[in-house]
Amino acid sequence: MRILLVGAPGSGKGTQAELLSSALGLEHISSGDLLRGHVARETAIGRSVQEFVRRGDLVPDSIVMDMLRKPVVEAADSGGYILDGFPRTVQQAQAAYDTARTLGVQVQVAVHLDVPEEELVRRLLARGRGADDTEDVIRHRQRVYQEQTTPMLGYYSDREELITVDGTRSPEQVHATILEQLEKVRPRLEGTEA
Ligand code: AMP
């Protein structure tokens, strides 16, 4: 199965991606983790993206697309993936679809973790991970999500590929609900393997 997880910062997206990856035996590919890895290793990609990542702004599409092409194709070939953090704009979703479709590795279902903004900010402030997590940066990341990522939900719902799950409950409850919803759509996905 090829799944995209969509959720604001603080929605529990990373946790759910890990749970789904173990439950379904799918590769978890996180664009944010990969980018942070490049920044930490001070690679050429890392140096070109570090200011964007620090501010909570999106990095240029071409960098993310080039970085993800190989892992996505490899994961698709070995049973499937959970994409976490990419695509995150309508433009990225369209570009990714155009590239992936020819290879038969496009997203089959998008899972949206729905959490109200005040709850997100509360969670992120409570997490308090140091200088990056000032309230200003937290609110900026939420704004970027609202402005640039939420329109992408329409892209997937128009294609009837969107599942929305209430993300305010416990991680175990959210995970169980996602699995239930995925089971419902699985028969339809089997017909769209290629
Ligand atoms: P995340 O951990 O998914 O919140 O990503 C952390 C940061 O990496 C984001 O704030 C962006 O700066 C960058 N990033 C991750 N995924 C993307 C993407 N698909 N497009 C552009 N920038 C991204």
Side-chain angles (χ1 to χ4, degrees), residues 63-74:
I63 296 179
V64 199
M65 303 264 307
D66 288 346
M67 178 183 77
L68 289 174
R69 189 168 291 116
K70 190 159 169 261
V72 165
V73 170
E74 282 176 0

Side-chain angles (χ1 to χ4, degrees), residues 36-77:
R36 279 184 290 272
H38 278 284
V39 172
R41 295 195 307 279
E42 299 181 8
T43 65
I45 291 180
R47 279 191 293 277
S48 61
V49 302
Q50 62 187 1
E51 275 308 301
F52 292 93
V53 174
R54 191 184 57 75
R55 290 195 306 264
D57 285 323
L58 298 185
V59 316
D61 290 355
S62 58
I63 296 179
V64 199
M65 303 264 307
D66 288 346
M67 178 183 77
L68 289 174
R69 189 168 291 116
K70 190 159 169 261
V72 165
V73 170
E74 282 176 0
D77 283 346

Side-chain angles (χ1 to χ4, degrees), residues 3-18:
I3 301 169
L4 163 63
L5 263 186
V6 191
S11 62
K13 186 164 54 79
T15 305
Q16 293 303 323
E18 283 299 320

